Amino acid sequence: MINFIISQNQPVTTVAERYLLIYMLVVLTFITALFIIFFIVFQKRKNKLILDKIKQQQAFEEEISNTQIEIQEQTLKNIGQELHDNIGQLLSVANMQLSIMATSVDEAIKEQFTETKDVVKDSLREVRALSKSLNTDVIANKGFQESVQNEIDRLNRLQILNATLTVEGNSELFQNQKDSIILFRIFQEFLSNTIKYASAENFLVSIQYLEDRLILDARDDGKGFNSKTVENGAGLLNMKNRADLINAQFKLDSREGKGTSLKIDYPYRKAQQINL
């Protein structure tokens, strides 16, 4: 009789244990799912906070770079105005006085006097040209290509370098005045370094206007340098920072005895009002 009761109750216990096991599995699955969801949400929130922090840092660094460039541009503009208004005015007066004196100069020194007058006249022209290359407003009005051409002409006129410029494509594709100034300053920095350090004879520049980007290539045939030794130089960092501001790819390549080349790959950006 006892054996019969046990045998009758055994299936009931097994079914209860089975339901209990299923219940526990469901609860465990639910808890695991909640944990996974919580972990995913936590990770997404953590990643978002990290990305926000990175963006804030990038925005801060960009603002610092913009501020530095604005200060530099204002300084260059002031120097350009001083050259034009003060030095240029003094040279103009000197040139006028020499012209007046030319009529009463003895024949013995007339040739030397004329040469001196020509030197003053050339100095006045170069001071004015230099003042224009430093003035932000002039660069914005002339545009990138004409500003580069003016620098090329000045090099050839002063016989500093044998410089040439080749242009391909439609210059009207480049309409962003602010970016044109930044791009010109990169070129100007490279040119300045070429004049000071390269001991080059030739300076070649090409500008390509493609449908979606501008390619600037400048190179000299100077003595070159070891890029590792100037990796953190102020001039190089300045060029890199300016290129980053306009989302341009910047590449400077040099080998000792083989000259130096600069390549800028600039994607056109929507034109903005100049606020430098």
Side-chain angles (χ1 to χ4, degrees), residues 250-265:
F250 170 90
K251 183 180 180 181
L252 186 70
D253 185 41
S254 183
R255 289 183 295 169
E256 292 180 293
K258 300 294 184 180
T260 305
S261 66
L262 166 72
K263 185 175 182 180
I264 299 292
D265 186 335

Side-chain angles (χ1 to χ4, degrees), residues 104-143:
S104 58
V105 172
D106 293 339
E107 288 296 329
I109 61 170
K110 193 166 187 178
E111 184 177 348
Q112 292 89 338
F113 187 87
T114 302
E115 289 177 357
T116 302
K117 182 178 179 298
D118 290 340
V119 168
V120 173
K121 185 177 180 181
D122 291 341
S123 299
L124 175 60
R125 181 178 59 188
E126 294 308 321
V127 164
R128 287 175 173 170
L130 180 59
S131 69
K132 290 178 181 179
S133 72
L134 296 175
N135 193 313
T136 300
D137 295 335
V138 174
I139 298 168
N141 291 331
K142 286 182 175 295

Side-chain angles (χ1 to χ4, degrees), residues 22 70 75 78 94 124 149 155 186 193 207 216 218 222 251 253:
I22 293 173
E70 287 175 11
T75 301
N78 292 338
L124 175 60
Q149 184 66 63
L155 289 175
I186 298 173
N193 290 335
I207 301 173
L216 169 67
K251 183 180 180 181
D253 185 41

Side-chain angles (χ1 to χ4, degrees), residues 203-255:
F203 187 72
L204 308 177
V205 183
S206 71
I207 301 173
Q208 288 182 286
Y209 297 98
L210 305 179
E211 287 299 320
D212 61 340
R213 62 189 58 246
L214 178 150
I215 306 295
L216 169 67
D217 191 292
R219 59 187 64 241
D220 64 56
D221 60 354
K223 60 186 180 181
F225 58 86
N226 185 341
S227 58
K228 293 181 180 179
T229 62
V230 295
E231 187 173 357
N232 295 318
L236 180 58
L237 289 176
N238 194 30
M239 287 189 284
K240 283 183 177 178
N241 290 337
R242 287 179 182 269
D244 289 341
L245 282 178
I246 58 175
N247 300 326
Q249 294 182 11
F250 170 90
K251 183 180 180 181
L252 186 70
D253 185 41
S254 183
R255 289 183 295 169

Side-chain angles (χ1 to χ4, degrees), residues 145-194:
Q145 182 178 316
E146 188 173 346
S147 297
V148 171
Q149 184 66 63
N150 286 342
E151 292 293 280
I152 297 297
D153 293 341
R154 191 161 65 90
L155 289 175
N156 290 325
R157 191 166 56 246
L158 296 175
Q159 298 182 345
I160 297 174
L161 291 168
N162 179 28
T164 59
L165 170 65
T166 58
V167 179
E168 297 179 17
N170 182 8
S171 62
E172 294 183 359
L173 292 169
F174 190 11
Q175 296 291 331
N176 192 320
Q177 289 185 336
K178 182 177 179 180
D179 286 4
S180 70
I181 293 171
I182 294 175
L183 196 60
F184 177 68
R185 292 302 186 208
I186 298 173
F187 166 78
Q188 212 172 29
E189 181 78 34
F190 178 74
L191 174 58
S192 176
N193 290 335
T194 295

